[in-house]
Amino acid sequence: MSKGLPKQSEDFPGWYQEVVKQAGMAEHGSARGSQVIKPYGYALWENMQRALDDRFKATGHENLMFPLLIPYSVLAREEEHLEGFSAEVWTVTQGGGKELEEPLAIRPTSEATIWSAYSNWIQSYRDLPLLYNQWCNVMRYELRTRLFLRTSEFLWQEGHTAHATRDEAWEEALQMLEIYREVAEDILCVPVLAGRKSEAQRFPGADETFPIEGMMRDKRALQCGTSHFLGQNFSKAYDVKFLTDQGEQEYAWGTSWGWSTRMVGGTVMAHGDDKGLRLPPAVAPTQAVIVPIYKTDDERTRVLEVATKIKDGLVGNGVRVKVDDRDQHRPGFKFAEWELKGVPVRMELGPRDVEADHVVMVDRVTGEKRTVATDSAIADMASVLNAVQKALRDDATAFRDANTHEAATFDEVREGVAAEGGFWITPWCGDAQCEEKVSAETSASIRVLPLEREDPGGPCLVCGNPGTERATWAKAY
Amino acid sequence: MSKGLPKQSEDFPGWYQEVVKQAGMAEHGSARGSQVIKPYGYALWENMQRALDDRFKATGHENLMFPLLIPYSVLAREEEHLEGFSAEVWTVTQGGGKELEEPLAIRPTSEATIWSAYSNWIQSYRDLPLLYNQWCNVMRYELRTRLFLRTSEFLWQEGHTAHATRDEAWEEALQMLEIYREVAEDILCVPVLAGRKSEAQRFPGADETFPIEGMMRDKRALQCGTSHFLGQNFSKAYDVKFLTDQGEQEYAWGTSWGWSTRMVGGTVMAHGDDKGLRLPPAVAPTQAVIVPIYKTDDERTRVLEVATKIKDGLVGNGVRVKVDDRDQHRPGFKFAEWELKGVPVRMELGPRDVEADHVVMVDRVTGEKRTVATDSAIADMASVLNAVQKALRDDATAFRDANTHEAATFDEVREGVAAEGGFWITPWCGDAQCEEKVSAETSASIRVLPLEREDPGGPCLVCGNPGTERATWAKAY
């Protein structure tokens, strides 16, 4: 715990690794590339899940569960899709001590099995839309792993919908993008750019990929969630036809969309500082902590009595609160530990505070320290947490905006990305070769294009042909 | 939908298979032994999950997530455990297109990885207890599968706790058994016997296994959940030692406990009748359905307006309710469909009902039909659902009790199990050979022994030596 963290400005990857470890969020598992998500990281994930799942259900989606293992013959039917994932697949070849007749792939994603089932589930326009989602584990082979951000196994939700018309599927893909934006910004306090991916960056099998992209504290981009408009690619590959209300056979239109435990790492990297995590109150496993301060047994009794009263009052108001009554640690140690764990509000309570009927309240985002009447500490906690939530979002937005630049030339981007990092917005002609040239020379990729194509107001930064897209470039995770 | 079901009394397995399929709960997946849990089955699981998870958290447990894949070297360290599971393991031998250096087992259960991690997490008595749980998928190789009841992959929760003393671990195992009993009886309306397993039926690696056993409508037993007292078996195998408050090194004491999607099947089999499912209101995905009845467009408008008003009122009261406004089906078809799906309360609403400001309410458990004022239908729904919940539990309890018999001799049990099925309670000497003899000749096994050993009041049904246990025998799933 008390080992201290590397400074973000000196060693961001080292800071990340240490804070995730010391806060008890995750550690590496015994099999290569695997991770154990520990209770503090998992609780953050559960709160994120709840925010997403509530919105999925409110928009008419239902959860279900498809199998973990996919026969290769099923996986292979959408060619581009298989090609995109074949190098990442884990393969089961034995069951019950015997060789299997056909090897089975651990799902890298579930379009294949799900569209294979949809071919039986969809006959008529009356069967549509299918608005389904699953919360599950997936595996993709990784040689170099980083907790939450890149591991062989991760947890996610994958939504898979089928529709009678192109327009309806398109609207669905955008609706889910908007839900992702809302959860990222309103719940996790991570401002994001929501838009389109370039063709080169699309999901294998999608006609259009819509990402939300956030900026981390090292000024790199993180793709926080993606929604795909699949067109009729999977319905054609898996023969998902339906009878329209006009009595004709047509292929169904699809979407898929995913959000993963990667965003636990994203929340860490978007908000943390040199003291540790700074967690958004809306998802923080512990929103407020009360640290009792005492010397004698008598003081301990009196202070803990009031601490418990405050805790009970807060629990009654739906606040996730803890009293840190561990005897083996001093208050200073506890302060540092809860700062490291990013708990939004800390309350310090000593014998004098008890006498004066107040607590000392410290805000993890601004560091502001103030004295608050005990009753107000209970009654006003919801608005205090809202204020911390807003301060964290404002801080992240100011940071992102301060590190977003407009550029007209390739030189500016090359030098800017190397010297400062951050997001670089330029005109681009839409040609994949120009895109590839920038990526090769700067390690920055196009993170996002506007949802509606915008006139970039200048020529392509590479070839000088007329710009047709306003592209945002950045180095990314 | 309208194909009708086999009669339970004529073909219970056929009835089960058809009702699960026709209600849209599950179907077989493309890989052998796999299943797709469809939205109606999954929603039941989610509601069950919520009931369990709330109770786990209220008793201080936290969720986390261990990896899906376990290196064989880790799995092999508790010998009895490995031996118990080796024939059921699925094995991953390739990743990213290459042979792995060490094959990896898909977790059949997670004691091995978890205790392996606990050896790093536990140093001192201050680190204890660890009260952890995970919701995940596991796989066990199965040749003959039955949806929910026996599939290669299933979903479950597995709790894994570590304690400083034997007593504390023992209490924990019993506490979780009590939570399982409560959820089975209070939430799922399935009366259960909670007790001990015989040594022959224990979990591999456990010192004591505590099951809850319910009776299905075919009079067979289903193990609904199990809690295991692991003693120090896993702490010794994985070297999980801690410094006691007396300054000595001791091995930690463990428990594990699991509840799976099997109980979705259990809920179907414990309550269903020849018309289909009868779902407990506490977990029914849809608690009430409103079926509008109309001929003309004008009637349709008027009826749907009131139906929507009722629905909105119920939703506002937290009731899970649907209006079945499908035009392509007649009311009679809809009645049968919602009966098949086991929706606890059906409301029928036609133009005359609208005029009279009432609805016709039909209870799925008793079949009782009555006319209720529209306002009461909204205001009193919670108590109606409670009454259905109670009626379902009473019905299942009466059925279980009517099919539970006391017997003194082996002949009685042999004939009783063959002719009538059900639970047979006998004196038993505690010897595994006598147990094995009964099982071999009757296909009935000991489902449960009382938590506290009870004087059975007679000699062992097999050997005639003094009875030391009051054993409950039954054929089981």
Side-chain angles (χ1 to χ4, degrees), chain A residues 298-309:
Chain A
D298 175 57
E299 282 178 2
R300 185 177 194 273
T301 305
R302 281 189 294 137
V303 166
L304 278 181
E305 189 186 324
V306 176
T308 304
K309 202 191 78 183

Side-chain angles (χ1 to χ4, degrees), chain B residues 29-30 43 64 75 120 126 164 183 185 198 259 263 267 274 279 282 300 315 338 362 383 403 449:
Chain B
S30 48
L64 45 47
L75 194 60
N120 297 318
R126 290 190 193 278
V183 171
E185 298 192 334
S198 67
W259 175 298
M263 259 317 268
T267 306
D274 285 346
L279 293 185
R300 183 177 196 274
V315 167
W338 294 113
V362 187
S383 63
N403 290 290
L449 304 168

Side-chain angles (χ1 to χ4, degrees), chain A residues 128-147:
Chain A
L128 295 171
L130 296 186
L131 305 175
Y132 296 147
N133 175 65
Q134 65 182 12
W135 292 95
C136 64
N137 52 349
V138 289
M139 290 197 70
R140 299 177 188 176
Y141 190 77
E142 295 286 355
L143 283 172
R144 299 154 110 217
T145 59
R146 198 179 279 186
L147 295 169

Side-chain angles (χ1 to χ4, degrees), chain A residues 27 35-37 39 42 46 57 63-65 67-68 87 89 91-94 96 121 126 132 137 153 328, chain B residues 27 35-37 39 42 46 57 63-65 67-68 87 89 91-94 96 121 126 132 137 153 328:
Chain A
E27 64 183 35
Q35 77 177 335
V36 179
I37 305 182
Y42 199 82
E46 279 185 307
K57 285 179 175 150
N63 289 332
L64 45 49
M65 189 61 72
L68 174 72
V89 170
T91 309
V92 178
T93 58
Q94 296 167 22
W121 295 5
R126 291 190 192 277
Y132 296 147
N137 52 349
E153 182 187 9
Q328 70 268 35
Chain B
E27 65 183 34
Q35 78 177 335
V36 178
I37 305 182
Y42 199 83
E46 279 185 306
K57 285 178 174 149
N63 289 332
L64 45 47
M65 187 62 71
L68 174 72
V89 171
T91 309
V92 178
T93 58
Q94 296 167 23
W121 296 4
R126 290 190 193 278
Y132 295 146
N137 52 350
E153 181 187 8
Q328 72 268 34

Side-chain angles (χ1 to χ4, degrees), chain B residues 133-181:
Chain B
N133 175 64
Q134 65 182 13
W135 291 96
C136 63
N137 52 350
V138 289
M139 290 196 71
R140 299 177 188 175
Y141 190 77
E142 294 286 354
L143 282 172
R144 300 154 110 218
T145 60
R146 198 179 280 187
L147 295 170
F148 292 116
L149 304 174
R150 192 172 291 280
T151 50
S152 284
E153 181 187 8
F154 56 90
L155 307 182
W156 77 348
Q157 60 68 216
E158 43 177 328
H160 297 274
T161 69
H163 305 264
T165 66
R166 185 185 195 286
D167 283 357
E168 202 184 298
W170 185 267
E171 286 307 313
E172 166 77 7
L174 290 177
Q175 171 183 253
M176 302 326 287
L177 182 72
E178 171 58 16
I179 286 178
Y180 286 166
R181 187 204 60 73

Side-chain angles (χ1 to χ4, degrees), chain B residues 12 189-190 215-217 265-272 278 396 399:
Chain B
F12 196 84
C189 304
V190 179
M215 186 186 288
M216 306 295 103
R217 285 272 149 177
T267 306
V268 171
M269 293 197 300
H271 299 306
R278 298 192 304 170
F399 183 83

Side-chain angles (χ1 to χ4, degrees), chain B residues 216-285:
Chain B
M216 306 295 103
R217 285 272 149 177
D218 62 352
K219 303 178 196 167
R220 282 178 185 249
L222 183 79
Q223 181 174 300
C224 300
T226 43
S227 179
H228 310 292
F229 170 71
L230 303 175
Q232 296 176 312
N233 299 327
F234 284 89
S235 63
K236 285 180 177 165
Y238 292 90
D239 199 30
V240 183
K241 273 188 256 182
F242 69 96
L243 194 69
T244 69
D245 57 1
Q246 305 299 313
E248 284 159 18
Q249 289 287 328
E250 204 191 330
Y251 287 106
W253 298 83
T255 82
S256 66
W257 25 278
W259 175 298
S260 79
T261 39
R262 197 167 207 228
M263 259 317 268
V264 176
T267 306
V268 171
M269 293 197 300
H271 299 306
D273 65 15
D274 285 346
K275 290 182 182 171
L277 305 174
R278 298 192 304 170
L279 293 185
V283 289

